[in-house]
């Protein structure tokens, strides 16, 4: 029984290692993730500057995660599509366009959330 649990724990730690490696690869090789990570850092700094509420922090963290996850999944889909069919193909292009729509949706709604949180605070300064 102990060996089974130890194997499970080791397996989970190994999975975490692969996940961290994937996050690192995304952050160091993919421009779209770099841009989104920059904005995530920027709005985090703004959150501290404007002392946003706990509910605002939760909304902000959720949309940051949503955008980064959507970008990561889009990247994975594009890499698989390019691996399977490296030359241009209309069907692969269609799939890649749809995949690119996911982070676009996420980014659009994150801008709405950011506006709800920050526009009143910025207006209050003036």
């Amino acid at each position: 029984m102990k060996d089974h649990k130890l194997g499970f724990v080791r397996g989970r730690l190994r999975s975490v290692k692969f996940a961290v490696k994937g996050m690192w690869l995304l952050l160091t090789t993919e421009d779209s993730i770099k841009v989104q990570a920059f904005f995530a850092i920027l709005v985090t700094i703004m959150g501290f500057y404007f002392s946003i509420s706990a509910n605002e922090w939760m909304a902000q963290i959720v949309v940051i995660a949503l955008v980064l996850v959507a970008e990561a999944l889009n990247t994975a889909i594009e890499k698989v599509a390019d691996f399977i069919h490296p030359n241009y193909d209309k069907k692969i292009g269609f799939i890649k366009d749809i995949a690119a729509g996911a982070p676009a949706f996420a980014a659009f709604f994150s801008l709405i959330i950011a506006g709800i949180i920050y526009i009143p605070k910025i207006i209050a300064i003036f």
Side-chain angles (χ1 to χ4, degrees):
M1 185 87 154
K2 253 187 178 177
D3 291 336
H4 176 68
K5 284 186 179 181
L6 188 58
F8 176 80
V9 171
R10 282 187 183 159
R12 299 303 59 82
L13 290 174
R14 190 169 179 236
S15 294
V16 169
K17 177 183 160 190
F18 291 138
V20 170
K21 179 181 178 183
M23 291 167 53
W24 178 254
L25 287 171
L26 282 164
L27 287 168
T28 58
T29 64
E30 295 301 319
D31 290 338
S32 60
I33 294 285
K34 290 176 187 178
V35 169
Q36 298 301 347
F38 168 78
F39 282 112
I41 292 167
L42 179 65
V43 295
T44 300
I45 292 167
M46 288 175 63
F48 286 112
Y49 178 79
F50 287 109
S51 298
I52 64 176
S53 71
N55 286 337
E56 291 168 330
W57 273 115
M58 287 187 283
Q60 182 166 293
I61 290 167
V62 167
V63 295
I64 288 170
L66 177 66
V67 170
L68 292 176
V69 167
E71 286 285 3
L73 291 173
N74 176 50
T75 298
I77 290 167
E78 287 184 352
K79 298 288 185 192
V80 169
D82 289 344
F83 179 76
I84 291 171
H85 206 295
N87 299 323
Y88 176 77
D89 180 84
K90 187 177 179 180
K91 290 179 182 178
I92 294 290
F94 181 77
I95 292 166
K96 289 170 71 172
D97 289 345
I98 290 172
F105 271 127
F108 174 75
F109 287 104
S110 72
L111 289 173
I112 293 171
I113 297 295
I116 292 168
I117 294 171
Y118 293 107
I119 289 174
K121 293 171 181 8
I122 293 168
I123 290 172
I125 291 174
F126 299 106

